[in-house]
Amino acid sequence: MRYARKRFETWADDAWETIPEGIRREFSNLVIVVEDEPTAEQLDAAGVPRDETLLGLYEGVPLDKRGWFYQMALPDRITLFQGPLERTGGDIRQAIYETLWHELAHHIGMNEREVRAAERRKFGTGSDIW
């Protein structure tokens, strides 16, 4: 089902608001945007096989890699891809939340293996690692 962009963006805002405020304050110089589909360049840069896609993408300098040189930088960017998220076939709001959570984990410096392990702990058992 195709949702209006405004509704989808509201759900993305709602997902952000479910992250505890104390944690949200730790994120800095970050923008969250919604796009229809990932570009071929984004898919290539992320190493995504041709028959797969991205639900979300983090682009920037993770918090744990920022040093004294990190000044006057453009904001890091988390992109949520509306089309792929809508095609997951499940609860769209949960898919948005889980994708945002995944990309925020990259923003704090977790690699893909670490993020996947944390997701298993958080979403597989219901425990909250925040």
Side-chain angles (χ1 to χ4, degrees):
M1 174 174 207
R2 184 70 179 170
Y3 295 99
R5 174 59 59 90
K6 185 67 177 160
R7 175 178 286 186
F8 194 93
E9 289 172 344
T10 297
W11 290 337
D13 291 342
D14 292 347
W16 170 253
E17 291 296 321
T18 64
I19 306 295
E21 184 178 348
I23 301 299
R24 286 194 319 259
R25 276 185 271 166
E26 298 299 317
F27 298 106
S28 65
N29 202 28
L30 175 69
V31 63
I32 300 167
V33 299
V34 174
E35 298 290 343
D36 288 330
E37 300 284 338
T39 65
E41 293 80 16
Q42 289 170 318
L43 293 168
D44 287 343
V48 176
R50 294 281 179 212
D51 60 337
E52 296 181 21
T53 192
L54 290 169
L55 301 178
L57 180 65
Y58 168 72
E59 299 169 288
V61 178
L63 294 176
D64 69 336
K65 302 287 189 248
R66 296 178 183 181
W68 63 269
F69 60 87
Y70 187 83
Q71 300 176 29
M72 302 205 39
L74 291 173
D76 288 9
R77 179 179 173 111
I78 290 176
T79 306
L80 300 173
F81 297 109
Q82 184 172 348
L85 282 161
E86 289 175 342
R87 292 190 296 272
T88 61
D91 179 344
I92 187 69
R93 296 180 78 169
Q94 184 66 26
I96 292 168
Y97 172 75
E98 290 178 11
T99 302
L100 177 61
W101 188 95
H102 180 106
E103 302 310 330
L104 288 169
H106 286 309
H107 179 61
I108 64 172
M110 296 172 80
N111 64 36
E112 192 66 24
R113 182 184 52 74
E114 293 167 328
V115 173
R116 297 290 179 171
E119 286 175 330
R120 282 190 296 277
R121 290 191 305 272
K122 180 170 179 59
F123 300 115
T125 64
S127 63
D128 192 347
I129 69 165
W130 290 119

